[in-house]
Amino acid sequence: MDKFRITGGRALKGRVSISGAKNSALPCMAAAVLSAETVTLHNLPYVKDIITQRRLLEDLGATVLTPELRTHKITARHIELFEAPYELVRTMRASVLALGPLLARFGKAKVSLPGGCAIGTRPIDLHLKAFEKLGAEVRLESGNVIARAPKGGRLIGGEINFEKVTVTGTENLMMAASLARGITVLHNAACEPEISDLAELLNKMGARVRGAGTSRMEIEGVEALGSAEHTIIPDRIETGTFIAAAAITKGELEIKDCEPLHLAAVIDKFRDAGVVIQELNPSTLLVSSRSELSARDVRTEPYPQFPTDMQAQYMALMTQAEGLAVIEETVFENRFMHASELQRMGANISVDGHTAVVQGPTPLTGAPLIASDLRASASLVLAGLVASGETIIDRVYHIDRGYEKIEAKLRAVGADIERLRDSVTAPLAQSEQGTRSSEYNL
Ligand code: EPZ
């Protein structure tokens, strides 16, 4: 398995470009299954999850052309398979986004139940209950979800009230409802920017989605959807991660091709902690932190509040801030795995259930670390950038899922970081990962 070797202590300085949002690209790629026409997506991030999603679409029978690295032209005219198998779903739970489109367009879908993952059990019960509200018959069979539209083969619009805000649950139902007969109303819908980006694509394809970005969405089903061309929004979590990188190394970064409006809560919190963030233009931030950072509490919540996907990165930063920071994780039940790794570097963090308390500033020293999930990996990279000495991070395939060439982007602004490709275990890693990261040339 690939590793990162980081020698800390360098202030980052320079310009970094933000890639497209993984968590918008994944549902938008799935949306192509709703149509027999070609859906062209631009600004896709070159990350492992996108490659996995492409494999899923091709396994279903869609054709995917890649005229350039970050553009996919997806044509799902001849779908022959109506299922997402376990070996794919277990490597990427976002494969469950195939459920809504397959059920809506073909009246049937079989998707392996995604197991839990490092950050929590992450059930999809709310997706399934909502499909039943649209008339689907849903049953579980040997670890698979088997879903069928009512006789006649078409879902029927209805009222859905999500007991919890669920991002992919909202996305699955937006796609299912877009071809249902009649009107569907989603209450307590997720409001993330990725939801609005999917709605924009669906409406370009001929859907009638209203209210995206608010907690009440109305979708009027249509007979069929057509072709569309769409550019994926910038990745707000990658943007937040690079803001944290500039701050934790006391450097200065110009972060371009981003969308500051999509991470207002993150920018507010970082400014409150003493990070200097200027908007040079609507898609460029200039970030620096000359003075001492001050500890500030944070509580993760659904959008537009502080995102759970920035919690681990924020914790790394708070190890360098003056005072006590209380971090509450309200979205996932087990998203503090990075804390124990940060402690091994010298951080003073105590975890009690959904709350972690960080006492700073503490000097960090480099250490051998193991990444546990995508955002925890980013947190360990940030800590390695500020730690004295050498940090080796193992299992960086986690970070390759959601960050495009992060070590190249960091090296380009002065970080001493390199990827150690472990050719010895790569065949094993390949079986575990599905494909070696070296094959992605990441
Ligand atoms: C999406 O996951 C993101 N992934 C996650 O990003 C992100 O952390 C999460 O939303 C929250 O913002 C993608 O968009 C591909 P949820 P999702 O359904 O949709 C519970 C990353 O780092 N729940 O909003 O799976 C669930 O257990 C990833 O890029 C149910 O109980 O998250 C969790 O506690 C990590 N039943 C909460 O709701 C359900 O049916 C929010 O989950 C669905 C969810």
Side-chain angles (χ1 to χ4, degrees):
M1 276 170 239
D2 288 4
K3 297 180 172 69
F4 280 161
R5 173 168 46 207
I6 304 170
T7 303
R10 296 193 176 184
L12 302 188
K13 191 157 179 51
R15 180 180 297 169
V16 66
S17 172
I18 298 300
S19 302
K22 159 182 89 80
N23 289 350
S24 176
L26 291 169
C28 287
M29 289 172 75
V33 172
L34 290 164
S35 166
E37 309 303 322
T38 298
V39 172
T40 301
L41 300 174
H42 298 289
N43 197 37
L44 293 169
Y46 186 49
V47 299
K48 217 172 79 181
D49 275 7
I50 300 306
I51 294 161
T52 305
Q53 190 78 324
R54 171 184 181 157
R55 270 179 47 198
L56 170 60
L57 293 175
E58 289 173 329
D59 287 355
L60 297 179
T63 53
V64 183
L65 300 177
T66 309
E68 69 94 12
L69 189 61
R70 295 174 185 80
T71 293
H72 281 9
K73 297 174 87 73
I74 306 164
T75 311
R77 182 179 303 281
H78 305 297
I79 295 290
E80 297 115 19
L81 188 67
F82 305 96
E83 60 180 84
Y86 179 61
E87 58 275 6
L88 260 181
V89 177
R90 77 182 177 86
T91 56
M92 186 184 67
R93 47 180 304 100
S95 319
V96 296
L97 287 166
L99 260 173
L102 287 172
L103 190 53
R105 183 166 162 222
F106 302 102
K108 55 185 177 183
K110 177 180 173 187
V111 171
S112 165
L113 263 178
C117 74
I119 62 178
T121 53
R122 301 183 74 183
I124 58 167
D125 55 316
L126 302 180
H127 302 226
L128 305 183
K129 277 182 206 155
F131 286 134
E132 290 176 329
K133 286 282 173 62
L134 300 189
E137 179 225 311
V138 176
R139 67 180 197 283
L140 302 183
E141 201 176 277
S142 1
N144 292 308
V145 173
I146 315 269
R148 289 286 179 277
K151 47 186 180 301
R154 205 171 160 201
L155 295 172
I156 302 148
E159 292 261 349
I160 292 165
N161 192 342
F162 287 110
E163 292 157 41
K164 270 185 181 178
V165 173
T166 162
V167 173
T168 48
T170 300
E171 291 163 348
N172 241 335
L173 271 295
M174 287 164 72
M175 294 188 281
S178 59
L179 289 179
R181 182 177 303 113
I183 289 180
T184 296
V185 180
L186 302 183
H187 299 283
N188 199 26
C191 305
E192 272 69 4
E194 294 76 28
I195 299 282
S196 302
D197 208 28
L198 173 62
E200 192 178 321
L201 169 63
L202 289 171
N203 288 340
K204 284 179 182 174
M205 293 168 68
R208 294 182 190 145
V209 180
R210 285 184 292 279
T214 74
S215 58
R216 183 184 185 282
M217 227 186 285
E218 206 170 279
I219 300 136
E220 182 186 346
V222 295
E223 292 293 320
L225 292 176
S227 63
E229 189 152 3
H230 184 69
T231 297
I232 300 294
I233 55 172
D235 193 312
R236 59 194 169 99
I237 305 302
E238 185 191 21
T239 307
T241 305
F242 276 101
I243 292 176
I248 205 167
T249 62
K250 296 246 175 302
E252 183 173 84
L253 283 184
E254 187 180 313
I255 301 174
K256 56 196 265 291
D257 304 321
C258 67
E259 176 45 90
L261 294 177
H262 291 169
L263 64 159
V266 173
I267 291 172
D268 288 350
K269 182 58 69 179
F270 277 51
R271 279 176 172 154
D272 196 21
V275 182
V276 178
I277 303 175
Q278 301 163 53
E279 290 194 21
L280 298 184
N281 62 51
S283 63
T284 308
L285 295 173
L286 183 64
V287 182
S288 59
S289 73
R290 297 181 195 84
S291 60
E292 278 309 304
L293 293 170
S294 310
R296 289 290 180 273
D297 298 349
V298 78
R299 178 185 159 87
T300 66
E301 308 253 19
Y303 194 86
Q305 303 309 328
F306 193 94
T308 174
D309 291 350
M310 275 299 301
Q311 180 259 107
Q313 300 91 312
Y314 186 75
M315 185 183 286
L317 184 67
M318 285 299 104
T319 67
Q320 304 308 303
E322 179 68 42
L324 217 57
V326 177
I327 298 175
E328 274 187 274
E329 171 54 60
T330 72
V331 178
F332 288 108
E333 63 266 32
N334 185 33
R335 204 170 195 177
F336 285 142
M337 262 91 47
H338 42 285
S340 49
E341 295 300 282
L342 295 173
Q343 284 163 337
R344 295 182 55 242
M345 300 174 82
N348 180 342
I349 305 170
S350 58
V351 172
D352 177 10
H354 288 260
T355 303
V357 179
V358 184
Q359 167 76 48
T362 49
L364 301 182
T365 50
L369 307 171
I370 295 184
S372 54
D373 62 88
L374 169 54
R375 306 303 172 182
S377 324
S379 168
L380 302 186
V381 169
L382 293 171
L385 292 174
V386 71
S388 60
E390 185 176 274
T391 295
I392 303 281
I393 303 173
D394 199 354
R395 302 190 181 177
V396 291
Y397 60 82
H398 287 293
I399 208 164
D400 290 334
R401 300 190 48 176
Y403 288 91
E404 179 174 330
K405 300 187 190 316
I406 192 167
E407 78 273 19
K409 290 189 179 185
L410 286 169
R411 226 184 1 258
V413 290
D416 181 348
I417 178 172
E418 63 173 324
R419 180 186 289 264
L420 308 176
R421 290 193 193 283
D422 186 344
S423 53
V424 174
T425 56
L428 297 179
Q430 181 167 354
S431 61
E432 179 173 332
Q433 297 171 33
T435 304
R436 275 200 304 279
S437 53
S438 50
E439 287 184 11
Y440 299 116
N441 183 26
L442 287 165

